[in-house]
Amino acid sequence: MKLTGVAATRYFAKPEPERTGLLIFGGDAMRVALRRQEVIAALIGPKGEEEMRLSRIAGGDLRKQPSLLLDAIKEVGFFPGPRVAFVEDATDAVSDAVKTALDEWREGDAQIVVTAGSLAAKSKLRKAFEGHNNAYSVGIYDDPPSREEIEDILRRAGLRDISNDAMTDLVALSRALDPGDFRQTVEKISLYKFGDTTPLGPADVAACAPSSVEAGVDDVLSIVAEGRAPELGPVMRRLESQGVQPVQLAIAAMRHFRALHAAASDPQGPGAGIARMRPPIFGPRRDRMQRQAQSWGMYKLETALKELVETDLTLRSASRAPQMAVMERALMRLAMLARR
């Protein structure tokens, strides 16, 4: 039998111990591994592996010795409790051995859990599970996690009091990160909020979310976009002393103003434009960029982009002008433009 969507998500969290087995397959090894860990932990508990109630079999070993799986499901464990026979990296080459184990399975035997990569609809391994009346097959695809999956991850991490804005940011983050990275970020947020009884807010998510731009560069871009020209010089001196290169600043400025232009050009307004950004923008930084896009407007931002393109070409040319001075003057012109 096949499981899909919400039914599959619920089964991973609370599998049925009386089932014969489960096949989890998909092209993303990380997603498959996370689901496999979840379902095995739900079946045998946190101490199942140390109590030797989990038998691991490599797909290559099963291909060489087909009786391994049947022996594993029939053996009697030293410790009481449910058992799992887990076959990793299976292919159609082991389909006969798996089908034999499924057919010979009886109540009280170890439940069979098999993981595999991408499998075609005609795969013998898929047919063995999908054609069995007491086993399940679940395909894991690259679709972003559903709201229910995200809420389950948050609940497992101990995060329950979450504001609507924070949940919006977390949903956006789940679509930008790999599943493993998203779970690690949620764990980081959980540690960040340890002992804090206030609801999880956008600022908390922003504080823990992976950042692709250094904070110092962000400071410069905010100063320029908000027209705070007198503050620019000292911050530029500090960045220069830290070894930040002019070309790096030019690239970051181009990325920032392109994002502002995309937001200002959005038919549904800057707020909707910011919400569509990938990677997503969170918390106070999102609010700040929305205000910047509204303040500049689409046409002024086009002028800013033209200025940045010309500066970038100058930096990459054979000009002997001091590069940091060229970049600083360009940013100063933009900061003055923001004040008009």
Side-chain angles (χ1 to χ4, degrees):
M1 295 182 284
K2 288 194 291 187
L3 280 180
T4 58
V6 174
T9 301
R10 290 175 178 168
Y11 187 82
F12 288 132
K14 193 175 181 180
E16 301 162 11
E18 68 277 7
R19 292 291 173 183
T20 302
L22 171 69
L23 168 67
I24 310 171
F25 66 93
D28 191 324
M30 173 61 76
R31 293 174 188 260
V32 171
L34 288 171
R35 287 307 191 186
R36 177 260 299 171
Q37 290 172 0
E38 181 181 358
V39 76
I40 289 178
L43 283 168
I44 63 175
K47 293 186 177 181
E49 188 163 7
E50 64 183 72
E51 291 179 351
M52 298 179 290
R53 291 187 284 112
L54 173 64
S55 301
R56 293 175 177 268
I57 304 170
D61 293 340
L62 184 60
R63 181 173 56 82
K64 295 174 185 175
Q65 193 174 346
S67 62
L68 284 175
L69 181 57
L70 184 58
D71 292 343
I73 67 171
K74 295 294 183 182
E75 68 183 14
V76 178
F78 183 78
F79 291 90
R83 295 179 298 113
V84 167
F86 165 47
V87 181
E88 188 172 19
D89 297 330
T91 65
D92 277 352
V94 301
S95 59
D96 289 340
V98 171
K99 189 175 187 307
T100 298
L102 290 172
D103 292 341
E104 294 294 327
W105 187 90
R106 298 293 182 269
E107 187 176 350
D109 291 345
Q111 186 166 145
I112 301 167
V113 176
V114 179
T115 61
S118 297
L119 296 175
K122 295 181 180 180
S123 162
K124 292 181 180 179
L125 196 58
R126 282 184 61 176
K127 287 183 176 180
F129 281 86
E130 292 171 6
H132 197 281
N133 62 3
N134 198 43
Y136 286 130
S137 168
V138 180
I140 305 296
Y141 303 103
D142 292 339
D143 300 331
S146 66
R147 178 70 173 248
E148 185 174 1
E149 290 177 275
I150 294 169
E151 289 174 349
D152 182 60
I153 293 170
L154 294 170
R155 186 167 53 253
R156 288 170 180 270
L159 296 168
R160 290 177 172 80
D161 193 359
I162 303 167
S163 70
N164 290 333
D165 288 340
M167 180 57 78
T168 299
D169 287 349
L170 287 166
V171 170
L173 188 61
S174 73
R175 282 152 173 70
L177 298 178
D178 290 334
D181 293 337
F182 178 67
R183 287 177 186 248
Q184 288 181 351
T185 301
V186 170
E187 290 173 6
K188 183 179 177 182
I189 294 172
S190 177
L191 290 172
Y192 181 81
K193 292 291 287 182
F194 182 76
D196 185 349
T197 58
T198 61
L200 180 70
D204 300 320
V205 177
C208 300
S211 177
S212 59
V213 183
E214 295 178 8
V217 175
D218 270 346
D219 291 341
V220 169
L221 298 179
S222 294
I223 287 169
V224 172
E226 293 166 10
R228 295 183 278 131
E231 301 176 34
L232 182 61
V235 177
M236 290 292 291
R237 299 290 79 76
R238 190 164 66 248
L239 284 183
E240 188 174 13
S241 68
Q242 292 172 358
V244 176
Q245 297 299 310
V247 172
Q248 180 185 351
L249 272 175
I251 292 171
M254 186 75 74
R255 186 186 302 121
H256 185 81
F257 277 86
R258 278 178 177 163
L260 293 182
H261 183 264
S265 307
D266 194 285
Q268 296 179 2
I274 293 291
R276 293 187 223 278
M277 298 291 174
R278 294 294 178 270
I281 300 166
F282 304 101
R285 183 167 177 257
R286 176 191 57 200
D287 298 336
R288 172 176 279 180
M289 288 187 66
Q290 183 174 335
R291 289 194 300 268
Q292 291 170 5
Q294 289 171 334
S295 174
W296 276 79
M298 183 176 68
Y299 297 110
K300 276 173 66 175
L301 286 166
E302 288 174 357
T303 302
L305 287 172
K306 181 180 178 182
E307 175 72 33
L308 287 170
V309 168
E310 292 174 353
T311 303
D312 186 60
L313 290 173
T314 301
L315 293 175
R316 297 172 190 272
S317 70
S319 171
R320 295 186 178 182
Q323 290 200 330
M324 188 57 86
V326 170
M327 190 68 228
E328 184 175 350
R329 287 173 186 171
L331 294 177
M332 182 62 75
R333 285 194 291 269
L334 293 182
M336 297 304 294
L337 179 62
R339 301 173 72 173
R340 294 179 191 170

